[in-house]
Amino acid sequence: QRSRVELITRQAAVLSGSAWFEAVFRQLDADVTLDWEAQDGESIGAGQRLCVLTGPTRALLTGERTAMNYLQTLSGTATRASRYAAAVAGLPVRVLDTRKTLPGLRLQQKYAVLCGGCYNHRIGLYDAILIKENHILAAGSIAAALAAARAGNPGVTIQIEVENLAELAEALSAGARLVLLDNFTLEGLRQAVVYTAGRAQLEASGNVDLNTVRAIAETGVDRISVGDLTKDVTAVDLSMRFV
């Protein structure tokens, strides 16, 4: 038996995940065809038809939930990212994701963040170094941690986390070029920007949400990292209906 199915969104969102949606059906039966009427990164409206699928009924029914799980979750991630991007519109700042992704969906969610208009931080522990407080304690000092990271990983991006202006001064003196300001107040962020005076890129992190991100961006930091982009995702309401 063969069937025709329409994929419809029940709410406004940003679409993401079409490749994974397609892959589910391709692996079940190569005879399934998909005709997309919306593209990843596109804003979609309630009631809009996104895709028409035709093919063997068994494959369409078998793949329905898995394919929908991908598309709903990734579209939810992209939609959330789009809200953050809109919140800082017009300011010279980048909103970045973190490694706080759903298990097994690291690359998928980071792709969805891009669809929503935000940016990717490091993908994992292998492609960039973030020196945090426990690394500093283990190494003995900020300067020692930076020196060890540089010695063992030439050419790799190195970022160091600081918790106050004194630690920022120490990091800059040690040659840090990318600094994460952890849980600074708004006034603290403004002071850090003035003190740094362009010697390093500054990234704000901690207690960032849609209510606070604009004010944080207005302090003049270069980057804002937000775990909320990928860990507090609400799935988009989609529907697949046989017609």
Side-chain angles (χ1 to χ4, degrees):
Q1 180 178 327
R2 296 180 63 83
S3 296
R4 182 176 184 272
V5 179
E6 292 183 346
L7 174 66
I8 296 170
T9 177
R10 297 186 182 275
Q11 65 183 94
V14 173
L15 183 64
S16 182
S18 60
W20 287 275
F21 184 89
E22 285 197 24
V24 170
F25 295 105
R26 300 285 185 219
Q27 292 186 36
L28 286 168
D29 195 317
D31 196 28
V32 174
T33 61
L34 300 93
D35 182 17
W36 287 95
E37 298 179 10
Q39 305 300 317
D40 282 6
E42 181 179 324
S43 294
I44 54 179
Q48 181 177 342
R49 188 170 69 182
L50 307 178
C51 182
V52 176
L53 302 88
T54 57
T57 305
R58 180 178 294 275
L60 294 172
L61 289 170
T62 301
E64 176 183 4
R65 179 43 49 200
T66 301
M68 292 274 283
N69 281 346
Y70 272 118
L71 202 64
Q72 290 178 290
T73 301
L74 299 185
S75 294
T77 303
T79 301
R80 197 164 194 83
S82 72
R83 292 174 183 149
Y84 275 94
V88 300
L91 297 175
V93 68
R94 288 190 169 195
V95 176
L96 301 101
D97 55 28
T98 70
R99 292 185 300 118
K100 296 172 182 175
T101 51
L102 299 176
L105 294 179
R106 171 68 52 79
L107 293 179
Q108 292 94 322
Q109 280 199 289
K110 283 186 171 281
Y111 166 78
V113 165
L114 296 178
C115 288
C118 291
Y119 296 84
N120 292 154
H121 211 300
R122 58 181 180 162
I123 301 298
L125 295 176
Y126 60 88
D127 61 338
I129 293 173
L130 173 56
I131 301 171
K132 295 179 70 68
E133 67 275 15
N134 284 334
H135 302 120
I136 294 168
L137 290 170
S141 69
I142 286 174
L146 279 167
R150 292 191 188 107
N153 304 274
V156 174
T157 297
I158 299 173
Q159 181 179 21
I160 189 160
E161 177 184 280
V162 301
E163 297 180 341
N164 52 58
L165 291 175
E167 290 183 356
L168 172 61
E170 185 179 349
L172 293 175
S173 296
R177 293 294 176 264
L178 180 57
V179 181
L180 186 147
L181 308 173
D182 183 44
N183 285 299
F184 274 49
T185 64
L186 291 177
E187 180 57 28
L189 291 173
R190 284 188 284 268
Q191 292 177 8
V193 169
V194 171
Y195 179 79
T196 301
R199 288 176 288 170
Q201 280 208 322
L202 298 180
E203 177 181 318
S205 181
N207 297 314
V208 183
D209 58 32
L210 284 168
N211 295 318
T212 62
V213 68
R214 179 82 187 186
I216 292 171
E218 289 172 343
T219 65
V221 294
D222 304 288
R223 301 150 48 121
I224 304 172
S225 52
V226 188
D228 180 60
L229 280 178
T230 52
K231 71 176 184 176
D232 296 323
V233 176
T234 300
V236 172
D237 189 4
L238 306 176
S239 176
M240 277 181 62
R241 289 296 177 90
F242 281 64
V243 294

